[in-house]
Amino acid sequence: MPELPEVETVRRGLFPLLVGRRLSRVWVRRPDLRRPLPVDLAARLEGARVVDLGRRAKYLIATLEDGPRVLLHLGMSGRLTLGPRAQAGDPGVHDHVLIDTDDDQRLVFHDPRRFGLIALAEPGEESPLLAGLGPEPLDPAFDGPALARRLAGRRGPLKTVLLDQRVIAGLGNIYVCEALYRAGLSPLRPAESLDAPEAARLVAAIRAVLEDALAAGGASLRDYRHVDGSSGYFQLNVSVYGKEGQPCPTCDCPAGEGGIRRLIQAGRSTFFCPRRQG
């Protein structure tokens, strides 16, 4: 599933090409994705001008002039591409929403597994999709004490708690594994057990991992692509994710003790070094 770096990379790619443009034609080619699409989606979008494109957690948020905000989630396999309409060709079976702009570009929402979603929020209305989300991890106000407050009283394993979008918004499996590794913290520890220095160290690791991923254009493990169709390459720089059985890159583990291990937590694979993160 695209996580914060992937969604933010898409936002940055679309922003200069989409903001200020008018949506001249919209095709909605099926009635639902993860949930039903707004029945008036095409009618509400056609003719509207995009005045801003933001992100909250893993949601893209397009603000329309004198109109609603459009919330879009890429789900497991969603992809947004934007290019000249004349070069777009016929839509594929998984191209579910097509949007033409007034400068002859075509935006395509492609989603083979249909776990994405598109929803509308009226001006001044808080979407229930965004209600209760935790702080943005790249916000300067998110620091060690802020994380410690979010973890207080949470007895679940640290890895599982960090994946809860109500605790921190936008983090997913890849980046939590990598941040815990960099911080030298066990994914199995009770979340509430972190002391102040450990919380500060984890915040610094989260921020560093996310910034590295943004610089690399995100991670293209399966379906994720940039808006021009190219791939991100953070997956080439991971330390532990997907590396079960390989040597730990930063410690010399004794035979029989070392190497990257994999375990399942809450249905998700966790990759870690037992020695470095003991």
Side-chain angles (χ1 to χ4, degrees):
M1 174 185 293
E3 302 177 19
L4 186 156
E6 290 77 43
V7 179
E8 178 63 18
T9 298
V10 169
R11 188 198 72 82
R12 294 179 183 183
L14 288 176
F15 190 95
L17 304 173
L18 200 57
V19 172
R21 307 313 322 179
R22 199 168 293 278
L23 309 180
S24 58
R25 183 78 184 274
V26 178
W27 291 266
V28 179
R29 304 183 66 234
R30 61 173 299 116
D32 59 358
L33 295 171
R34 184 199 317 173
R35 54 189 284 176
L37 295 170
V39 294
D40 58 349
L41 181 63
R44 299 291 301 276
L45 269 56
E46 283 187 354
R49 189 170 70 90
V50 180
V51 296
D52 194 18
L53 184 64
R55 179 193 56 78
R56 178 73 170 105
K58 301 176 187 180
Y59 290 91
L60 284 172
I61 306 172
T63 301
L64 304 182
E65 185 178 43
D66 300 323
R69 288 175 299 147
V70 183
L71 280 66
L72 187 146
H73 195 287
L74 295 173
M76 296 293 292
S77 61
R79 183 189 309 169
L80 285 170
T81 57
L82 180 68
R85 183 176 61 183
Q87 300 175 16
D90 294 332
V93 66
H94 301 305
D95 295 339
H96 304 309
V97 179
L98 285 65
I99 302 174
D100 287 350
T101 62
D102 60 358
D103 61 344
D104 293 322
Q105 301 291 305
R106 174 165 290 177
L107 179 68
V108 178
F109 183 30
H110 173 92
D111 187 5
R113 300 181 67 181
R114 301 200 304 273
F115 287 154
L117 67 82
I118 300 176
L120 299 177
E122 301 303 325
E125 171 186 276
E126 180 181 14
S127 171
L129 296 171
L130 306 180
L133 288 174
E136 291 284 330
L138 292 177
D139 189 321
F142 182 68
D143 55 12
L147 176 60
R149 290 192 294 270
R150 308 296 295 183
L151 299 181
R154 295 183 178 269
R155 300 179 180 178
L158 181 57
K159 159 73 183 310
T160 304
V161 171
L162 291 174
L163 289 176
D164 186 341
Q165 299 298 291
R166 297 168 297 181
V167 177
I168 308 175
L171 293 184
N173 204 33
I174 299 173
Y175 301 110
V176 171
C177 287
E178 291 296 307
L180 288 173
Y181 175 79
R182 293 194 189 191
L185 296 170
S186 170
L188 298 168
R189 281 185 59 174
E192 65 179 1
S193 70
L194 265 64
D195 59 26
E198 290 172 327
R201 193 164 79 237
L202 180 53
V203 167
I206 289 171
R207 183 169 286 117
V209 166
L210 293 177
E211 289 174 347
D212 286 351
L214 282 167
S220 292
L221 295 178
R222 294 184 180 87
D223 301 283
Y224 165 72
R225 295 291 184 274
H226 298 175
V227 297
D228 62 1
S230 61
S231 300
Y233 55 91
F234 182 74
Q235 70 276 7
L236 303 178
N237 303 321
V238 296
S239 297
V240 293
Y241 187 84
K243 294 192 172 184
E244 180 183 10
Q246 297 185 33
C248 172
T250 58
C251 71
D252 184 16
C253 301
E257 178 183 323
I260 305 304
R261 295 187 185 176
R262 172 181 175 268
L263 57 85
I264 302 298
Q265 293 180 287
R268 308 295 298 278
S269 292
T270 294
F271 298 92
F272 71 111
C273 171
R275 182 177 183 185
R276 176 182 171 88
Q277 298 172 253

